[in-house]
């Protein structure tokens, strides 16, 4: 038995509170981006996110707004581990399906900023700009979103001055 098969079995029987605790405590962008290997083996975060999402789609797991935000972040960060899977389509589908509306809340600012970063990496500049502007509208002092929109605009011809602002 591997850690991934064990976690898959656990995720199948966990209740909503346990799943939300898992999402809040187990997801770490830095570890996922670095592709960290643990002594127990490579952790299949993408598989975990798919299992949880599948349960939500079947109506077996009703996540709170924060839980849905963490699940979306999980998909966005798990993409760093994906080699060969068509994660772009899946991420877009999940975000459009379950992402909560933006609010003046740091978790939502993080989600929408990460969504914008992903959209920019997919060359979907207008979507990226939309997500960064949504964060800035609700959280005017949010530096990560301001920095990212500046980077995005600086790459677009004729928008350099706007990027500096």
């Amino acid at each position: 038995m591997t850690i991934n098969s064990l976690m898959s079995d656990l995720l199948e029987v966990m209740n909503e509170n346990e799943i939300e605790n898992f999402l809040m405590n187990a997801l770490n962008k830095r570890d996922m981006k670095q592709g960290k290997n643990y002594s127990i083996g490579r952790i299949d975060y993408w598989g975990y996110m798919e299992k949880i999402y599948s349960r939500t789609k079947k109506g077996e797991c009703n996540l709170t707004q924060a839980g849905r935000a963490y699940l979306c972040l999980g998909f966005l960060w798990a993409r760093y581990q994906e080699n060969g899977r068509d994660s772009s389509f899946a991420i877009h589908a999940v975000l459009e399906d379950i992402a909560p509306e933006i609010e003046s809340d740091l978790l939502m600012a993080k989600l929408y900023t990460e969504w914008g970063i992903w959209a920019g990496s997919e060359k979907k500049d207008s979507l990226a700009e939309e997500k960064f502007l949504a964060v800035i509208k609700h959280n005017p002092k949010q530096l990560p979103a301001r920095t990212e929109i500046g980077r995005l605009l600086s790459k677009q011809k004729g928008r350099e001055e706007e990027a500096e602002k």
Side-chain angles (χ1 to χ4, degrees):
M1 177 167 274
T2 67
I3 186 66
N4 292 322
S5 62
L6 176 65
M7 275 308 302
S8 182
D9 291 345
L10 284 172
L11 289 170
E12 198 61 47
V13 296
M14 286 178 167
N15 65 34
E16 286 95 349
N17 292 333
E18 293 167 331
I19 287 176
E20 288 198 20
N21 282 330
F22 168 77
L23 290 168
M24 286 187 287
N25 296 308
L27 301 181
N28 182 306
K29 180 181 180 180
R30 187 175 321 153
D31 289 350
M32 294 166 95
K33 195 171 184 176
Q34 291 173 350
K36 219 172 184 185
N37 282 320
Y38 298 91
S39 59
I40 54 176
R42 182 182 169 270
I43 296 176
D44 183 19
Y45 290 107
W46 187 268
Y48 301 168
M49 299 306 108
E50 285 181 326
K51 177 70 75 176
I52 296 167
Y53 181 64
S54 172
R55 287 195 58 204
T56 65
K57 293 305 293 174
K58 292 177 192 172
E60 299 172 358
C61 180
N62 298 310
L63 298 175
T64 65
Q65 180 170 306
R68 291 192 326 267
Y70 279 112
L71 180 56
C72 291
L73 284 168
F75 271 104
L76 287 166
W77 294 340
R79 80 181 187 274
Y80 295 116
Q81 294 187 321
E82 290 310 288
N83 295 324
R85 289 192 201 175
D86 185 20
S87 61
S88 179
F89 177 78
I91 291 170
H92 180 75
V94 168
L95 292 172
E96 289 297 318
D97 186 31
I98 66 167
E101 293 294 317
I102 184 94
E103 294 179 353
S104 301
D105 152 316
L106 291 179
L107 176 59
M108 294 309 149
K110 180 187 280 189
L111 169 58
Y112 275 68
T113 300
E114 291 292 335
W115 192 347
I117 292 168
W118 169 76
S121 73
E122 294 288 313
K123 307 293 186 234
K124 298 175 183 176
D125 291 350
S126 61
L127 177 62
E129 184 175 348
E130 173 190 322
K131 299 308 172 190
F132 296 140
L133 289 174
V135 172
I136 294 165
K137 177 183 175 189
H138 286 86
N139 300 285
K141 295 181 180 180
Q142 188 65 315
L143 284 178
R146 290 184 163 287
T147 302
E148 292 299 333
I149 197 164
R151 284 184 189 156
L152 179 72
L153 296 177
S154 69
K155 296 175 188 175
Q156 298 174 11
K157 191 166 182 83
R159 296 188 82 183
E160 295 84 2
E161 285 182 35
E162 191 178 349
E164 284 184 35
K165 289 180 187 176

